Amino acid sequence: MSEYESAIQAWQAGPAASGEGAAMPESFRIPHSFKKSPQHVAALDRVRAWTRERFELPDDAAILVSQVSCMMPGCPPLETVVAFWTDVDRRHQFKLFKPVMDVAPDDLPPRWMRNALAVLEGIDGDCC
């Protein structure tokens, strides 16, 4: 049996008696450093909910919230990036220059800036 087949079999079997993922081959395990803590996931959910409320987005609107690291001079080490769509091809985005755990509702741009946050075709928006 290949490593892939044994990983699928372990996944389908569910948590092993000796601990979650014990039967999973090491090469298929997600390193602990890539797993998000429950507090981090809750902070992402909070920012997503605040964004939906602030910009009056419908329940089915796609909202992406992510914490990213920045290595450019002058950037904070961790930033929160938010993107949302108001139409199939109408993306809006903004950055908050702090970790997602530190974001508060007042950090989000005001509702009237919604159209100014739209990403224009041909503009990559990497600077902001």
Side-chain angles (χ1 to χ4, degrees):
M1 179 181 301
S2 73
E3 217 176 55
Y4 175 78
E5 291 169 327
S6 64
I8 293 295
Q9 191 175 42
W11 175 75
Q12 289 173 337
S18 61
E20 188 172 340
M24 184 75 64
E26 187 63 36
S27 61
F28 283 86
R29 292 187 190 159
I30 298 173
H32 181 69
S33 60
F34 290 121
K35 293 181 182 178
K36 294 179 175 75
S37 71
Q39 296 85 3
H40 184 85
V41 172
L44 293 170
D45 289 341
R46 277 193 308 273
V47 174
R48 191 175 299 109
W50 294 334
T51 300
R52 185 175 309 284
E53 182 181 337
R54 173 69 49 95
F55 297 106
E56 299 177 337
L57 302 173
D59 290 340
D60 63 346
I63 302 171
L64 171 72
V65 179
S66 184
Q67 179 175 283
V68 298
S69 60
C70 181
M71 302 305 236
M72 294 175 54
C75 280
L78 292 174
E79 303 172 331
T80 301
V81 178
V82 180
F84 61 90
W85 285 258
T86 56
D87 202 355
V88 174
D89 59 350
R90 182 88 165 158
R91 179 171 50 100
H92 306 259
Q93 70 182 34
F94 60 92
K95 285 184 183 180
L96 303 168
F97 300 109
K98 55 174 64 175
V100 70
M101 297 283 284
D102 296 343
V103 173
D106 287 342
D107 294 325
L108 276 65
R111 179 177 292 126
W112 57 264
M113 283 191 68
R114 180 172 140 164
N115 290 336
L117 299 171
V119 177
L120 302 174
E121 190 174 327
I123 309 264
D124 63 9
D126 281 345
C127 72
C128 324

